[in-house]
Amino acid sequence: MDPVDAAFDATPRRDFLPRGVRRRAAYDGPLSIAAGQTNSQPRTVDDMLRLLDVRPGQRVLDVGSGSGWTTALLAHLVGPTGSVLGVELEPELVAFGGHNLAATDRPWASIRHATPGVLGDPGGAPYDRILVSAEPDELPQVLVDQLADDGVLVIPVAGTMLRVTNPGAVVGEHGRYRFVPLR
């Protein structure tokens, strides 16, 4: 089975939604979770994970981990020889996402509170892969700088999904998407 399909099968979206929204888990659109944030459209998450091309054993940073769903999907993709760090600004979502992630029994993944004013995790860099689930107006160089030499960053910027690859921070455009603002 395709690794991304297997990750989705092993990580049901329903388990990462607030109780009142779970009945809509099959809906292929964003769903409200808390603090003005959303659980992303499954088709969009699928597209982003395929662009990211995550491999077993890699170190991955998940910026804007929200409900913990993308962190758990990434954890499935890297397996127990890899590691995933989710960072989230909203304290309510750090708790909610952390609880959801813990239920997956993937201890090589964690979610922590993002430092206000700091994008990503510069102190933990470099990362093999970085997934960003919020949208800035321009590509943040500080995140590009957190990539390993052969790393990949997938981020929606000003409505366009970008795939940034090292070496050389080569940028490719991959369709139009809408996300909550990166802050």
Side-chain angles (χ1 to χ4, degrees):
M1 178 184 272
D2 170 85
V4 173
D5 289 342
F8 272 89
D9 286 351
T11 316
R13 183 187 196 198
R14 179 185 193 286
D15 297 346
F16 295 84
L17 296 172
R19 270 196 214 304
V21 184
R22 288 182 181 165
R23 71 190 187 298
R24 299 190 62 210
Y27 169 64
D28 190 28
L31 295 172
S32 293
I33 47 176
Q37 305 302 302
T38 60
N39 177 279
S40 294
Q41 177 177 13
R43 186 169 17 122
T44 299
V45 174
D46 183 274
D47 291 348
M48 292 176 79
L49 292 177
R50 291 180 190 285
L51 287 171
L52 202 57
D53 188 28
V54 178
R55 308 284 171 84
Q58 289 184 322
R59 293 185 72 238
V60 180
L61 178 63
D62 185 20
V63 178
S65 56
S67 70
W69 188 40
T70 52
T71 309
L73 288 163
L74 291 164
H76 185 274
L77 290 167
V78 301
T81 60
S83 66
V84 181
L85 172 62
V87 292
E88 172 59 54
L89 270 175
E90 294 294 338
E92 181 180 358
L93 291 178
V94 173
F96 180 64
H99 174 79
N100 294 337
L101 180 62
T104 67
D105 195 28
R106 297 175 190 161
W108 53 93
S110 62
I111 294 173
R112 74 165 198 232
H113 190 262
T115 305
V118 177
L119 280 181
D121 178 41
Y127 287 94
D128 299 306
R129 300 289 187 267
I130 300 175
L131 179 68
V132 183
S133 297
E135 182 176 350
D137 293 329
E138 53 189 51
L139 180 62
Q141 185 61 43
V142 68
L143 288 176
V144 175
D145 293 344
Q146 293 174 47
L147 280 177
D149 289 342
D150 59 351
V152 177
L153 163 67
V154 172
I155 180 172
V157 175
T160 300
M161 190 65 65
L162 301 183
R163 182 176 195 263
V164 182
T165 56
N166 266 345
V170 178
V171 179
E173 295 186 0
H174 297 274
R176 304 282 298 164
Y177 295 85
R178 287 180 42 191
F179 277 81
V180 296
L182 180 66
R183 39 191 186 93

